[in-house]
Amino acid sequence: MSTPTLDIRNLTLGFKGYTGFTEVLHGISLSVEPGERVALVGESGSGKSVTARIVLGLLQELRTARIGGSVLFEGRELDGLNKRERHALRGKAMSMIFQDPTSSLNPVFRISDQFHDVLRRADPRITRDAALERAAAILAEVSVRDAERVLNAFPFQLSGGLNQRVMIAMALANEPALLIADEPGTALDVTVQAQTLQLMRKLVEEHHTAVLFISHNLGVVREFADRVYVIYKGRIVEQGPTRAVFEGPRHPYTRALMAAVPRLTGGGIPDIDEDSPDFGAPLETHDAEGRA
Ligand SMILES: Nc1ncnc2c1ncn2[C@@H]1O[C@H](COP(=O)(O)OP(=O)(O)OP(=O)(O)O)[C@@H](O)[C@H]1O
Ligand SMILES: [Mg+2]
C-alpha cells in the first residue's frame, strides 16, 4: 500500500486552563490516502476542528495546548518540524477551506495580491504577471467568468458565493496533497453550499487531492466522502466506507446521528444512553465489504 497522505495515530489533546487540565481528544487515529475523500463527522464540540488545527500545525503554537500521539504527513512526523517548516507546509502541501470565506480572506488586500501571496509559497520567485495569469486560470476552473474584475476587487466587494469560489481556488492553487475542508460553505446559503461542494468535488477529482472533510451534516457526507469516521466526545467510535456505515451503522451514537432530522445547520441529535452495554464497545470498524 502507498504511504497515506495523512496518518494520525493515537492523537491526544488537552488544554491547560485556570481550572486545571481538560482533555478534549482521547486518542484519535485516522488516515487519508492520496486522492481519497474522508469525512470526519460528529456533533458540535466533539473535536473535529481541533483535529484539523493540529494537522495544519496551528495548535502546536498555542501555549495552553498539550498534544500527544503522532501526525504523519506523507510519512513525515509533524512533531519533528519547527515553526517555520510547519508554516511552509501550510498553503503549499496542505491547505484549508473554512466555513466562512471572510475568515480566511484578508479584508484589506485585493484578491490579486492575496493570490500572489499564496502562489509565492510554492514558487517564491513567481512574478506578479505570472501569478495573475495562473490565478485567472484557476478562477476559471471554479467557474468565475470575469476573473479580471474579481482579481481587482477587495473581498467586501464580492458576494459570499464569489468569495467562497475565490477561497476554493486559492486553497487549490498550489495543488496541495491534502485539503482540509471544515464545514465548507455552511456560513452561506444552501445553494452556495451545494455549489461549493460540487466545485470542490470536481477539483479534487481532477487534481487527485486527498481531502479531510469535516461536517456535522450527514447528507452532505454521504454525497461527498469515500470513507467516514464518526467522532463522539473526542473519540472515534465508528469508521468505514461511507456506504457500509450508512447502511449498517453499528455504534449507538452513529445510529442516533442518523436518526436525527437532517438539517443543514446540524444539531437535533436525540438523547442516547451512554450507560447501555453497547455504548462502551470498542471502535466499530467496517471493512470494504461492510462486514464486521
Ligand atoms: N483554544 C481552546 N482552548 C480550550 N478549549 C478549546 C480550545 N479550542 C477548542 N476547545 C475545546 O475543544 C473541544 C472541541 O472543539 P472543536 O472546535 O474541535 O469542536 P468541533 O467538533 O469542531 O465543533 P463544531 O461542530 O461546533 O465546529 C470543545 O470542547 C472546545 O470547547
Ligand atoms: Mg468546528
Side-chain angles (χ1 to χ4, degrees):
M1 223 159 91
S2 62
T3 309
T5 303
L6 177 66
D7 193 2
I8 298 177
R9 297 182 190 163
N10 201 23
L11 182 67
T12 57
L13 167 70
F15 290 103
K16 251 181 77 177
Y18 295 115
T19 53
F21 183 78
T22 320
E23 194 173 76
V24 299
L25 294 178
H26 313 286
I28 282 192
S29 296
L30 171 166
S31 69
V32 188
E33 299 292 325
E36 195 184 24
R37 292 183 299 246
V38 169
L40 180 59
V41 57
E43 70 191 319
S44 187
S46 55
K48 305 181 298 294
S49 295
V50 288
T51 303
R53 292 172 64 77
I54 292 172
V55 173
L56 288 159
L58 294 169
L59 279 184
Q60 285 80 341
E61 278 144 46
L62 195 69
R63 225 170 19 85
T64 53
R66 296 285 174 276
I67 303 169
S70 83
V71 178
L72 298 155
F73 177 70
E74 297 187 317
R76 282 167 76 200
E77 175 65 66
L78 279 191
D79 206 29
L81 304 181
N82 63 32
K83 193 172 164 178
R84 186 146 45 92
E85 291 166 323
R86 279 197 299 266
H87 183 77
L89 274 184
R90 281 199 298 277
K92 192 169 83 181
M94 53 170 97
S95 63
M96 175 128 181
I97 294 177
F98 294 92
Q99 188 172 16
D100 176 3
T102 53
S103 64
S104 71
L105 294 173
N106 190 323
V108 301
F109 290 109
R110 290 183 198 277
I111 303 292
S112 54
D113 296 323
Q114 301 191 50
F115 256 111
H116 193 187
D117 268 359
V118 166
L119 290 164
R120 256 201 300 245
R121 283 174 168 248
D123 178 3
R125 281 189 302 252
I126 191 167
T127 64
R128 191 176 159 80
D129 283 352
L132 292 189
E133 199 175 308
R134 171 96 183 101
I138 308 162
L139 284 171
E141 280 193 61
V142 292
S143 311
V144 172
R145 274 170 293 274
D146 43 358
E148 202 176 331
R149 177 181 75 90
V150 170
L151 285 168
N152 269 315
F154 291 94
F156 71 85
Q157 294 171 314
L158 304 173
S159 68
L162 258 180
N163 275 325
Q164 186 75 15
R165 281 163 199 256
V166 166
M167 184 168 64
I168 296 173
M170 274 183 197
L172 292 162
N174 290 324
E175 308 229 324
L178 176 69
L179 175 71
I180 299 181
D182 194 348
E183 305 273 2
T186 45
L188 305 165
D189 66 46
V190 177
T191 325
V192 175
Q193 195 189 353
Q195 285 169 354
T196 304
L197 288 169
Q198 230 174 16
L199 287 171
M200 237 174 66
R201 190 182 190 121
K202 171 176 160 266
L203 286 189
V204 298
E205 244 159 48
E206 284 166 9
H207 299 269
H208 205 65
T209 317
V211 185
L212 179 61
F213 182 80
I214 293 173
S215 183
H216 49 222
N217 181 345
L218 287 170
V220 167
V221 165
R222 188 170 198 171
E223 259 305 281
F224 186 81
D226 306 315
R227 219 148 49 75
V228 179
Y229 289 86
V230 180
I231 183 171
Y232 179 68
K233 292 188 180 168
R235 287 194 173 79
I236 303 287
V237 295
E238 184 154 2
Q239 62 155 310
T242 305
R243 212 175 129 195
V245 172
F246 275 84
E247 288 179 0
R250 298 204 187 105
H251 194 275
Y253 176 67
T254 315
R255 294 203 202 112
L257 256 186
M258 288 179 185
V261 186
R263 284 204 320 227
L264 275 169
T265 48
I269 297 155
D271 284 341
I272 40 178
D273 177 11
E274 292 185 27
D275 297 324
S276 93
D278 349 328
F279 202 85
L283 169 66
E284 301 280 4
T285 302
H286 300 253
D287 65 16
E289 279 72 50
R291 291 179 307 241

